[in-house]
Amino acid sequence: VSYLGTDLQPLWTATFSSWQDMLGYFHADLAAAQRRADVLDAKITRDARSAGGTAYAGLCAIALRQAYGGTELVVGPNSQPWAFLKEISSDGNVSTVDVLFPASPAWIYADPGYLALLLEPLLSYAESGNWPEAFAPHDLGSAYPVASGHNDGGGENMPMEETGNLLIMAAAYIQQAPGPGAAFATAHYKILKQWADYLVANLPDPGYQNQTDDFAGPIAHSVNLALKGIIAVAAMSKIAAVAGNTADAASYRSQARQFISYWVTHAQDPSAAHLDLTYSGPDGGNGTWGTTYNGFADRLLGTGLIPSTILAGQAAWYESVSNLFGLP
């Protein structure tokens, strides 16, 4: 991987003097690796089957392989391990944040430290000063493995999407790895606070923005995007608490609660049957709906923002519109 003009070597070079030595170790370790893999697969199958049945367990086993298979370990600055992710099958960007985010549950569950290795290059780039925007970048480069950044502020910008994603992932890592997580929160507090303040300034009603559903094009007043931003503000409250900034923690928590009150009022369809795609109103999303998957982060982080009545109503709505192949 080339990172901002510097070639970073594969991580195996920090341990082995040659590729022959590396492959020799790999082959000699095959039986032990198989045993470790079997133990991991058994754990995933057991936990996933308990959560969602046999078919869900199969999906989780496949998803874990996809998550790890799309990443690459390198020797980063100061000889620290870093990891990069390739956006496969769409446009080949380097460490696309809204591809990393939906993959992140695999690492949050199995290996939180690996998520930190993937976050570090993104945070380092934003902290370098080369990225000129107040919000988070969409990716680290247009063509893997060249992480040249977007020093002109360009790329497929998704301001609230990517900013929310990074804050939620940072909070999830810190929550799952409390020891190293505290050091992580302190080391990156300045940039994380900058991003949280961007969200606060642009909530509770996002403007005309692109989001991860870019096949649909940018929209304004997005119920799903607003929810991600609001939960991310609450995530910053948790980060601030771990970093020892109690005043910030209280402020972000209060702001998230104010924003969710607005969201609850404006996100529901006048029929009360479901949430709309965009905020309701005469020129809004009355009668529309979408998949409000950003609610996942509320459960993941335990922020408790979404009322139980909305969760139950939306679940019932999804059941009513699902077909042979699931939710359209």
Side-chain angles (χ1 to χ4, degrees), residues 275 295-296 298-299 305-318:
L275 300 173
F296 165 72
D298 188 44
R299 181 65 61 87
L305 293 170
I306 306 173
S308 59
T309 51
I310 289 194
L311 292 172
Q314 197 70 353
W317 171 257
Y318 288 149

Side-chain angles (χ1 to χ4, degrees), residues 15-83:
T15 303
F16 302 100
S17 60
S18 69
W19 65 263
Q20 291 95 331
D21 288 344
M22 181 265 290
L23 285 180
Y25 176 88
F26 173 79
H27 284 291
D29 187 53
L30 188 58
Q34 182 70 59
R35 289 192 295 272
R36 294 194 302 271
D38 287 345
V39 169
L40 178 59
D41 267 339
K43 172 179 165 54
I44 292 166
T45 300
R46 181 177 62 251
D47 291 351
R49 186 179 289 133
S50 175
T54 301
Y56 180 65
L59 289 173
C60 288
I62 295 168
L64 186 78
R65 286 152 173 78
Q66 285 187 311
Y68 277 95
T71 67
E72 183 168 5
L73 285 160
V74 302
V75 181
N78 301 316
S79 299
Q80 293 301 304
W82 272 9

Side-chain angles (χ1 to χ4, degrees), residues 123-317:
L123 293 164
S124 180
Y125 175 56
E127 291 163 344
S128 72
N130 291 321
W131 171 249
E133 302 293 346
F135 52 81
H138 170 266
D139 61 79
L140 288 175
S142 298
Y144 196 94
V146 181
S148 54
H150 297 281
N151 296 352
D152 60 352
E156 191 185 1
N157 286 337
M158 302 178 181
M160 188 165 292
E161 173 78 41
E162 309 301 27
T163 303
N165 287 338
L166 282 166
L167 285 168
I168 291 166
M169 286 190 287
Y173 165 64
I174 291 164
Q175 191 167 278
Q176 292 296 102
F184 181 94
T186 301
H188 299 297
Y189 193 80
K190 182 178 179 182
I191 192 64
L192 295 172
K193 185 179 190 307
Q194 174 187 306
W195 289 340
D197 290 342
Y198 168 83
L199 293 178
V200 168
N202 287 273
L203 285 168
D205 188 354
Y208 185 74
Q209 289 199 11
N210 200 4
Q211 54 191 312
T212 194
D213 299 332
D214 54 358
F215 51 83
I219 60 173
H221 320 301
S222 169
V223 166
N224 193 38
L225 185 61
L227 182 58
K228 174 166 285 178
I230 295 166
I231 295 169
V233 172
M236 186 63 208
S237 172
K238 290 180 172 288
I239 294 168
V242 170
N245 295 304
T246 54
D248 280 354
S251 175
Y252 289 122
R253 184 168 57 251
S254 174
Q255 287 168 324
R257 288 173 177 167
Q258 291 174 36
F259 292 149
I260 203 68
S261 295
Y262 180 99
W263 183 86
V264 167
T265 301
H266 293 81
Q268 287 186 289
D269 191 75
S271 70
H274 55 79
L275 300 173
D276 285 331
L277 180 67
T278 60
Y279 283 149
S280 59
D283 300 314
N286 293 2
T288 63
W289 65 276
T291 49
T292 318
Y293 48 79
N294 284 328
F296 165 72
D298 188 44
R299 181 65 61 87
L300 170 70
L301 298 177
T303 44
L305 293 170
I306 306 173
S308 59
T309 51
I310 289 194
L311 292 172
Q314 197 70 353
W317 171 257

Side-chain angles (χ1 to χ4, degrees), residues 61-106:
I62 295 168
L64 186 78
R65 286 152 173 78
Q66 285 187 311
Y68 277 95
T71 67
E72 183 168 5
L73 285 160
V74 302
V75 181
N78 301 316
S79 299
Q80 293 301 304
W82 272 9
F84 291 86
L85 176 143
K86 179 180 180 181
E87 182 175 351
I88 299 171
S89 300
S90 47
D91 59 7
N93 288 355
V94 183
S95 295
T96 308
V97 178
D98 61 301
V99 176
L100 177 57
F101 181 72
S104 66

